[in-house]
Amino acid sequence: MIKAEELALKQREISVSEFFTKNRHLLGFDSPAKAILMAVKECVDNSLDATEEMRVLPDIYVEVKQLSENRLKIIIEDNGPGIVKEQIPRVFAKLLYGSKFHSLSQKRGQQGIGVSAAVLYSQLTTGKPAVITSKIGLKQKAHHYWLHIDTVKNEPEIVKEESFDWGKDHGTKVELELEGKYQKGKQSVDEYLKQVAIVNPHAKIIYINPLNEKVEYHRVTNEMPAEAQEIKPHPYGIELGILIKMLKSTESRTLSSFLQNDFSRISTVTVKEICNKANLDIKLKPEELTLQQSEILYKSIQNTKIIAPPTNCISPIGEELLIKGLKKEINADFYTAVSRSPVVYRGRPFAIEVSCAYGGDLNKETQVRLMRFANRVPLLYQQGACAITEAVQDTNWRPYGLQQSTGSLPYGPLVLVVHMASVWVPFTSESKDAIAHYEEIIKEIKLGLQECGRRLGIFIRKNVKAKEQKEKIDLFTKYIPELANSLSSLTGEKPKILEEELTKILNKNLKDLLRSIDNAEIKEEIKEEMAEKQDNKKEKKKSEVSEPKVPIKKSKKEIQTKLR
Amino acid sequence: MAENKSKKVLEEFGDKIVSQIKKGKNPEIEMTLRNLSNIIYDTKQKILKLGNKIQSRSFFNLAHSKKFLQTVEVASVIKKELLGSGKHSSLRDVFYMVKRTIPGTNINLVEDQTESDKALEDLEVITDFSREQLHVAANKMGSVAGKVIIEDKGDTIDWSKMGSGGWSIPSITDELKFKKVSAKYVLYMEKAAVFERLNEDKFWDKNNCIIISSQGQTTRGIRRMLQRLYEEHNLPIYVLCDGDIYGAYIYSVIKYGSIALAHASGRLTIPGVKYVGITMDDVIKYDLKKHFIKLDEKDYARIKQVSEYAWFKNNKDWLRQFKMMKEFGAKVEIQSLTSKGISFISEKYLPEKIKNKEFLD
């Protein structure tokens, strides 16, 4: 028998880095093809966040080089603010270190895991250190670091460092060697950067892939995304554990000031209401609350009416830029975008934006191309597990002129962009591939999709359907000789005369015929609205007005034809 | 010179269109509307009739132009190919005579036979001439056996000497001559298989009657023949169908007429016809419940629909039958009687019911 003491010798703390060494799939590094994408993605996300914080228009350079059969090198360079010398090792070589986890504001990264996870993966698969170059200002020297992660301590290990003059004002450059497999297609670095370009029309990105192909994504606006305000957590959005942690670590001296200072939307009146309900003295020291008291406090917070959090912490892309982004990367006939006002789920504000491009070069026969984004970051994996996908599948696209079998993505020459901007995007896992299925979120997405769909439907009817109708009118010219011949053999009249007369009548009536097509269009629009209303009611009662079809029983054919 | 009359009426139809065209008008065909909304149940005569609603079809209208073309083309084909030559053709033939691809398109003038059939029915309504008068017949489907001697195109035929298949009823029966009719009633049945059973048992001989079957819906030829036997020879007509809503409808078509052929009711319907079975009461009396077939949604829908037709909605006996069908949630076939013995139907069921006059009206 093993004694507890012996077991104790084996029991020790596992560092975050060690944990992820063994569970790298949790961060998305689970296949060679995905690893390369994740590494590029983490670096590019950081670059975009950094430039935005500094309010400079991002110039980003991305290069992926093939070193050997399954080893690649990635280089990402930006013109961001750079990182002060002392922080560089920790930012890149310590997991869960970052500026983003502790604040509630809309950023691409959330946890401070991303880039250091890429460094860790590089180290695990090649043993090579990460090479970081950073410069923070004009008259400064650039710092050059070769870094490893001490996985046991989760601390950076500086292999080598030096300073030198770098020919740019400020910025950061990351070089990583890693095991991976470069590929093209829907889940590739190429696709990722293309989608980044679509939702970041203010960014200029130059990309060189392992095939030495250079792609330039142009900047089409000089407008930076609005700065997102940081907000304090809203009391509805926290869990008991977090509340306890906040009580212990707060700088506020009393329960009253804790509630007012550490949360948004709590006034003195609300404090009184919460504390009365919980039967707690507002002057209690937060750190002295017992577990039981904390729990009572938590419950009474949930039972108190508190106004929704401010929504100025959301920085949507905006309809105009959504369209610009699509236009520059996708050649289509029709573009539209819907940017919905921010709303709240579980105390966390978020906004949904939907845009689409239709027609043009897009494939008519395939399912629509769905591009999912969270805080301007493309989500390329786990489409099936994502709330966005569910919302698209749940929306009835047929009234808008697309084909769709119930419960699946519609078919047609359409690119559909759905963006969720939020201070906290609820992902289904740490690899940040799919948005979790919150009812409020799905509802908002669907409303956005419907608005987009309505506009798309109008376009399709006006242009595509009208074209079809015009083709039908052309049919008259084909029918005329047929009718002339039939009538001729029926009556003995000369077919030529009949043909000429019929053509005259057609030309005379052309205007009326076109008008009747317009009317058909209006009818379609009404039909669509009705369909939507029904959809929203979620109750599709079968109308009993129409006569049910009669089955063919054996050969009782006539019954059927009679009751057409 | 019936043929010439038919020919003339089609030409007149064409001339009307030509004169509209010459006046520079969008050519238009007007005809009585043929759907349920324009069907009137004449309670005095007990037949279905067309009302006065008119529909018009114009050539330069996206929704009408193809149908317009089809109607004119069918008229022209009939005039050219059939009338004057003395020949007859089937509905299927007409379909093939009309079918072709319109040059410069991938559109067929008629896509399937229902379209050419409809065009013909339109012509019947427009010209007031029957399909038979236009020399077009349906596929023949039906047999007869019994103590009757007829003459058909110069041949004398004895319906009692036609072997196991019976005499095959032609699609046009207007010109048959009944030379000797010794039978006392006519039994019409929905199913050919039942006909074979009764014929093998010499039911018509033992009961001194005529047995007639078609398959499913009754063809016009048979309806016309039944009407002539009823009117010219005062024979009662009894109908034997499956115990379901479709059987009831088949019976009603023979009795009152049908929606699609309401324009021809006068020469097809037999108000005096009676329904002998299978009824829901038979199910109880002869213990047929174990042969029930479950009703599906469509059956229920059809029951609802049929019981709302004007010619059913005041008929208490039938409404009671429909109610029982719904309560049982089931229907039953004629052949289920076989479970009582192979000749139960011919030796017991039918003779008893007819003798006791257990009919539905």
Side-chain angles (χ1 to χ4, degrees):
Chain A
M1 266 232 314
I2 301 170
K3 285 181 186 162
E5 287 89 342
E6 286 171 45
L7 268 179
L9 288 175
K10 290 186 183 170
Q11 287 164 342
R12 58 185 174 80
E13 194 187 353
I14 303 166
S15 86
V16 196
S17 330
E18 262 188 315
F19 177 76
F20 281 119
T21 304
K22 287 182 177 155
N23 297 288
R24 61 198 197 194
H25 60 277
L26 292 179
L27 294 177
F29 291 86
D30 41 4
S31 75
K34 196 175 176 191
I36 178 82
L37 168 65
M38 291 304 289
V40 171
K41 174 176 141 91
E42 296 299 351
C43 294
V44 172
D45 289 354
N46 276 359
S47 293
L48 288 167
D49 271 347
T51 47
E52 266 165 43
E53 254 169 74
M54 195 194 183
R55 310 304 294 162
V56 295
L57 291 163
D59 275 325
I60 298 173
Y61 174 85
V62 180
E63 187 176 350
V64 180
K65 275 186 190 165
Q66 191 87 45
L67 297 179
S68 64
E69 199 193 330
N70 47 17
R71 188 174 286 199
L72 296 152
K73 183 177 185 179
I74 62 167
I75 302 163
I76 288 95
E77 188 181 325
D78 66 43
N79 60 338
I83 301 157
V84 293
K85 181 174 181 284
E86 297 71 30
Q87 298 280 23
I88 293 173
R90 270 175 295 200
V91 166
F92 288 95
K94 181 179 169 76
L95 270 71
L96 290 173
Y97 185 88
S99 57
K100 298 168 192 168
F101 189 72
H102 299 283
S103 72
L104 272 180
S105 75
Q106 182 194 329
K107 291 275 167 55
R108 292 178 177 80
Q110 287 181 339
Q111 296 107 326
I113 287 182
V115 77
S116 41
V119 171
L120 177 63
Y121 177 81
S122 148
Q123 176 177 325
L124 284 172
T125 54
T126 67
K128 292 279 176 78
V131 183
I132 314 296
T133 313
S134 181
K135 185 175 171 182
I136 56 170
L138 251 181
K139 286 171 188 165
Q140 310 273 346
K141 284 208 174 245
H143 298 290
H144 209 86
Y145 275 97
W146 283 257
L147 296 171
H148 267 156
I149 298 176
D150 180 337
T151 55
V152 179
K153 292 188 200 142
N154 185 24
E155 284 297 335
E157 203 177 272
I158 300 163
V159 180
K160 192 177 145 191
E161 62 175 306
E162 62 181 37
S163 301
F164 73 107
D165 290 318
W166 196 16
K168 67 194 290 177
D169 295 352
H170 49 79
T172 305
K173 180 177 175 183
V174 182
E175 292 164 82
L176 296 173
E177 259 182 53
L178 42 87
E179 206 180 277
K181 188 171 164 262
Y182 171 78
Q183 62 178 26
K184 294 218 171 199
K186 277 186 185 169
Q187 296 173 330
S188 62
V189 175
D190 301 35
E191 176 69 17
Y192 166 76
L193 289 174
K194 181 175 182 161
Q195 293 196 13
V196 164
I198 288 174
V199 291
N200 295 282
H202 65 292
K204 178 186 169 190
I205 304 170
I206 294 172
Y207 168 49
I208 297 170
N209 71 15
L211 309 172
N212 215 12
E213 293 163 344
K214 184 179 173 186
V215 188
E216 253 193 86
Y217 300 100
H218 299 286
R219 177 179 294 132
V220 289
T221 175
N222 288 331
E223 198 181 313
M224 293 283 294
E227 214 165 344
Q229 301 297 313
E230 238 180 80
I231 61 157
K232 292 173 205 158
H234 188 272
Y236 284 170
I238 57 159
E239 272 140 25
L240 178 59
I242 308 267
L243 177 69
I244 293 169
K245 203 178 136 198
M246 287 172 76
L247 281 164
K248 298 294 173 218
S249 59
T250 181
E251 283 168 10
S252 305
R253 301 253 186 90
T254 64
L255 192 53
S256 168
S257 62
F258 165 71
L259 287 171
Q260 285 181 65
N261 296 339
D262 292 18
F263 291 101
S264 62
R265 299 300 204 204
I266 296 194
S267 62
T268 44
V269 181
T270 320
V271 168
K272 271 182 198 157
E273 201 185 330
I274 291 171
C275 292
N276 280 344
K277 272 188 196 163
N279 211 5
L280 292 169
D281 188 348
I282 58 166
K283 282 176 189 147
L284 273 175
K285 286 186 178 170
E287 70 262 33
E288 284 175 2
L289 255 71
T290 65
L291 184 63
Q292 209 185 355
Q293 284 173 321
S294 310
E295 210 176 323
I296 294 169
L297 176 67
Y298 179 75
K299 276 185 189 154
S300 93
I301 286 175
Q302 305 306 318
N303 291 329
T304 304
K305 215 170 178 193
I306 303 166
I307 51 171
T311 50
N312 59 356
C313 54
I314 298 296
S315 159
I317 300 167
E319 296 182 357
E320 191 191 331
L321 289 182
L322 277 166
I323 290 173
K324 270 190 181 168
L326 270 175
K327 270 189 179 163
K328 82 188 178 91
E329 297 304 328
I330 285 157
N331 184 14
D333 298 328
F334 172 78
Y335 303 86
T336 190
V338 173
S339 189
R340 293 190 56 79
S341 311
V343 288
V344 175
Y345 81 98
R346 297 193 59 211
R348 291 155 185 164
F350 74 101
I352 293 297
E353 301 185 279
V354 180
S355 64
C356 71
Y358 180 88
D361 295 345
L362 297 166
N363 192 334
K364 284 180 189 161
E365 311 297 329
T366 54
Q367 283 192 325
V368 304
R369 235 168 100 198
L370 175 60
M371 296 185 179
R372 299 170 291 135
F373 298 88
N375 289 343
R376 295 169 197 249
V377 177
L379 310 177
L380 299 187
Y381 280 82
Q382 293 196 32
Q383 177 164 301
C386 186
I388 292 177
T389 313
E390 186 188 315
V392 175
Q393 289 170 339
D394 260 15
T395 301
N396 182 4
W397 292 91
R398 278 164 292 203
Y400 310 134
L402 296 181
Q403 292 187 333
Q404 180 188 29
S405 42
T406 309
S408 64
L409 291 178
Y411 282 80
L414 182 73
V415 168
L416 198 54
V417 169
V418 181
H419 177 226
M420 174 175 179
S422 177
V423 294
W424 188 263
V425 178
F427 288 109
T428 55
S429 76
E430 290 313 312
S431 62
K432 301 197 277 185
D433 291 318
I435 297 173
H437 295 235
Y438 283 94
E439 211 177 288
E440 304 94 317
I441 297 175
I442 291 177
K443 187 184 150 205
E444 273 296 303
I445 299 174
K446 283 174 86 171
L447 289 171
L449 290 169
Q450 285 173 357
E451 177 59 34
C452 241
R454 263 190 293 277
R455 295 180 196 168
L456 177 65
I458 291 169
F459 172 81
I460 290 179
R461 269 193 306 280
K462 283 231 170 86
N463 293 271
V464 182
K465 293 254 166 80
K467 211 189 266 173
E468 279 170 19
Q469 298 282 33
K470 269 174 205 141
E471 278 165 16
K472 273 193 189 164
I473 288 187
D474 286 343
L475 270 186
F476 284 130
T477 59
K478 305 276 177 5
Y479 284 172
I480 284 175
E482 296 296 308
L483 183 66
N485 282 331
S486 296
L487 276 175
S488 162
S489 70
L490 192 58
T491 62
E493 185 62 63
K494 282 189 182 127
K496 252 227 162 121
I497 296 176
L498 288 169
E499 233 176 272
E500 278 165 16
E501 292 296 328
L502 281 167
T503 310
K504 273 187 213 161
I505 301 169
L506 172 64
N507 292 334
K508 210 169 70 185
N509 285 289
L510 220 48
K511 258 189 202 164
D512 285 343
L513 286 168
L514 286 169
R515 201 175 307 134
S516 75
I517 288 165
D518 283 344
N519 285 338
E521 229 170 75
I522 291 161
K523 273 181 211 158
E524 285 267 323
E525 261 165 52
I526 293 166
K527 246 201 285 183
E528 169 204 305
E529 266 167 39
M530 302 288 284
E532 220 164 72
K533 271 178 202 162
Q534 274 191 334
D535 261 12
N536 292 343
K537 272 184 204 162
K538 278 219 160 177
E539 280 177 351
K540 282 179 200 162
K541 283 181 190 167
K542 281 180 191 165
S543 84
E544 292 189 8
V545 185
S546 60
E547 293 207 343
K549 275 183 193 159
V550 177
I552 308 173
K553 191 205 171 197
K554 285 124 211 175
S555 63
K556 294 171 184 175
K557 273 192 223 157
E558 276 192 58
I559 298 182
Q560 216 204 9
T561 46
K562 273 169 202 167
L563 294 163
R564 216 170 16 127
Chain B
M1 286 291 99
E3 267 181 40
N4 280 342
K5 270 191 190 164
S6 306
K7 206 169 163 178
K8 212 176 147 206
V9 87
L10 289 181
E11 282 167 2
E12 278 168 10
F13 162 67
D15 289 338
K16 246 190 195 168
I17 297 172
V18 169
S19 81
Q20 289 179 54
I21 293 173
K22 285 190 169 168
K23 281 178 198 153
K25 277 189 194 160
N26 182 356
E28 216 174 46
I29 303 171
E30 282 193 344
M31 67 184 98
T32 314
L33 185 64
R34 280 181 303 126
N35 65 27
L36 192 58
S37 70
N38 195 34
I39 296 290
I40 294 166
Y41 174 56
D42 183 328
T43 44
K44 260 190 197 156
Q45 289 185 54
K46 290 196 171 175
I47 59 172
L48 302 188
K49 282 179 168 174
L50 282 180
N52 299 322
K53 289 184 193 165
I54 300 289
Q55 64 171 329
S56 98
R57 200 172 277 170
S58 57
F59 181 63
F60 291 110
N61 176 323
L62 282 176
H64 298 164
S65 65
K66 197 173 174 193
K67 277 186 185 164
F68 188 104
L69 184 55
Q70 285 166 350
T71 310
V72 175
E73 175 67 12
V74 167
S76 132
V77 158
I78 289 173
K79 185 212 145 189
K80 204 166 62 185
E81 304 286 336
L82 301 178
L83 300 174
S85 72
K87 285 178 189 159
H88 289 72
S89 79
S90 69
L91 288 168
R92 192 76 185 152
D93 292 330
V94 171
F95 166 61
Y96 279 113
M97 289 191 284
V98 177
K99 184 176 181 248
R100 63 165 185 273
T101 306
I102 295 171
T105 69
N106 51 10
I107 297 168
N108 289 322
L109 211 154
V110 284
E111 292 294 342
D112 57 46
Q113 197 191 316
T114 52
E115 291 185 352
S116 54
D117 288 0
K118 282 279 156 211
L120 247 163
E121 282 172 12
D122 290 345
L123 280 176
E124 285 187 287
V125 178
I126 293 163
T127 62
D128 217 11
F129 273 55
S130 75
R131 191 176 73 201
E132 288 78 5
Q133 286 170 306
L134 298 174
H135 284 212
V136 181
N139 298 336
K140 56 179 190 164
M141 260 197 315
S143 312
V144 59
K147 291 187 172 172
V148 174
I149 294 166
I150 61 149
E151 196 188 304
D152 178 22
K153 303 227 160 165
D155 298 334
T156 303
I157 294 151
D158 186 346
W159 285 358
S160 65
K161 291 180 175 140
M162 302 308 301
S164 56
W167 185 60
S168 172
I169 304 165
S171 47
I172 299 176
T173 52
D174 289 277
E175 268 135 55
L176 300 180
K177 280 182 196 133
F178 296 109
K179 297 188 78 172
K180 190 178 171 213
V181 179
S182 14
K184 296 286 173 250
Y185 65 87
V186 179
L187 179 69
Y188 170 77
M189 64 217 68
E190 175 191 357
K191 291 209 165 143
V194 178
F195 176 89
E196 282 186 15
R197 165 91 269 114
L198 295 183
N199 197 19
E200 194 174 277
D201 292 348
K202 291 271 181 269
F203 179 83
W204 49 269
D205 194 17
K206 290 172 194 160
N207 295 279
N208 196 18
C209 66
I210 302 167
I211 57 173
I212 299 178
S213 83
S214 86
Q215 185 65 269
Q217 269 296 344
T218 321
T219 63
R220 287 194 196 191
I222 294 175
R223 284 172 65 188
R224 178 73 183 133
M225 194 170 85
L226 287 171
Q227 194 197 43
R228 290 186 58 204
L229 286 166
Y230 174 79
E231 283 180 355
E232 295 167 22
H233 297 277
N234 294 317
L235 295 186
I237 315 273
Y238 306 131
V239 174
L240 176 64
C241 290
D242 284 343
D244 60 20
I245 192 66
Y246 311 101
Y249 190 74
I250 286 172
Y251 165 72
S252 79
V253 167
I254 297 171
K255 192 176 178 77
Y256 307 113
S258 67
I259 296 168
L261 298 180
H263 56 280
S265 284
R267 44 184 292 279
L268 294 174
T269 55
I270 312 159
V273 71
K274 305 270 191 241
Y275 183 84
V276 62
I278 306 287
T279 64
M280 290 296 115
D281 302 292
D282 294 340
V283 169
I284 298 167
K285 190 172 167 190
Y286 299 102
D287 190 24
L288 301 176
K289 276 192 183 174
K290 51 183 177 278
H291 305 295
F292 268 155
I293 301 165
K294 260 195 176 172
L295 296 185
D296 61 22
E297 240 175 76
K298 288 170 183 169
D299 295 328
Y300 282 110
R302 185 72 180 135
I303 292 174
K304 183 170 186 288
Q305 197 180 23
V306 170
S307 50
E308 282 163 7
Y309 286 152
W311 50 105
F312 271 114
K313 73 176 180 198
N314 294 318
N315 191 325
K316 278 179 197 149
D317 291 340
W318 274 108
L319 292 181
R320 186 176 148 268
Q321 290 292 319
F322 298 157
K323 202 176 149 212
M324 286 170 83
M325 282 180 201
K326 284 191 280 188
E327 279 167 6
F328 290 142
K331 53 191 178 184
V332 64
E333 289 187 295
I334 306 173
Q335 288 98 316
S336 63
L337 290 166
T338 313
S339 64
K340 303 264 140 192
I342 186 118
S343 294
F344 177 78
I345 184 169
S346 60
E347 284 162 13
K348 188 143 194 286
Y349 176 78
L350 285 169
E352 254 182 29
K353 287 207 83 168
I354 291 168
K355 190 180 146 215
N356 299 336
K357 298 203 182 318
E358 279 179 45
F359 303 128
L360 279 175
D361 194 15

